[in-house]
Amino acid sequence: MKIYEVHDRTSLLTPLLDIWEASVRETHLFFSDEEISSIKKYVPKALCGVQHLIIAENRSGEPIAFMGTQDNCLEMLFLLPNERGKGLGKSLIRYGIENYGVNEVTVLL
């Protein structure tokens, strides 16, 4: 697994949007399909606008998770459903603390 900050975000928008949607469908069961579709329209802007966008790739170089940080705050964290429970979220948060001084969480839907 490789974790790093992304600078060219536009080339990764599609796979990151896929991760976002899969993660939301797995964990945000209170959202209807219509609500997810509506929120999904705003995700690319959030991905491009967050100060630091960090991705985790598998051994094949495919994105499997991402997080966004802004001013020492964790703004977003999404993992593919089949990556849950393996410590990846913890690794990303640790990376955010060590590299970006993350010490706060903001929940953005």
Side-chain angles (χ1 to χ4, degrees):
M1 175 184 54
K2 180 179 176 185
I3 298 175
Y4 63 95
E5 183 172 358
V6 173
H7 297 288
D8 177 18
R9 299 170 184 200
T10 55
S11 64
L12 287 171
L13 285 180
T14 299
L16 296 184
L17 196 56
D18 291 344
I19 292 169
W20 175 85
E21 184 171 0
S23 179
V24 168
R25 289 192 181 281
E26 180 77 14
T27 61
H28 294 62
L29 302 177
F30 47 89
F31 282 144
S32 68
D33 287 341
E34 294 80 23
E35 290 169 318
I36 292 171
S37 294
S38 178
I39 295 167
K40 186 176 179 179
K41 297 173 191 173
Y42 301 99
V43 175
K45 184 177 180 180
L47 291 171
C48 290
V50 72
Q51 187 177 17
H52 302 285
L53 181 63
I54 297 94
I55 68 166
E57 292 180 344
N58 63 17
R59 291 179 185 187
S60 300
E62 300 164 333
I64 55 173
F66 68 88
M67 75 173 176
T69 70
Q70 182 87 31
D71 300 325
N72 303 84
C73 187
L74 177 66
E75 298 284 339
M76 58 184 81
L77 176 65
F78 296 95
L79 291 75
L80 286 175
N82 63 336
E83 298 298 331
R84 292 179 66 210
K86 299 178 181 178
L88 180 55
K90 184 185 293 186
S91 294
L92 281 166
I93 291 170
R94 186 175 296 125
Y95 187 91
I97 292 167
E98 293 171 1
N99 293 281
Y100 302 101
V102 169
N103 59 15
E104 189 176 334
V105 175
T106 299
V107 176
L108 297 177
L109 299 176

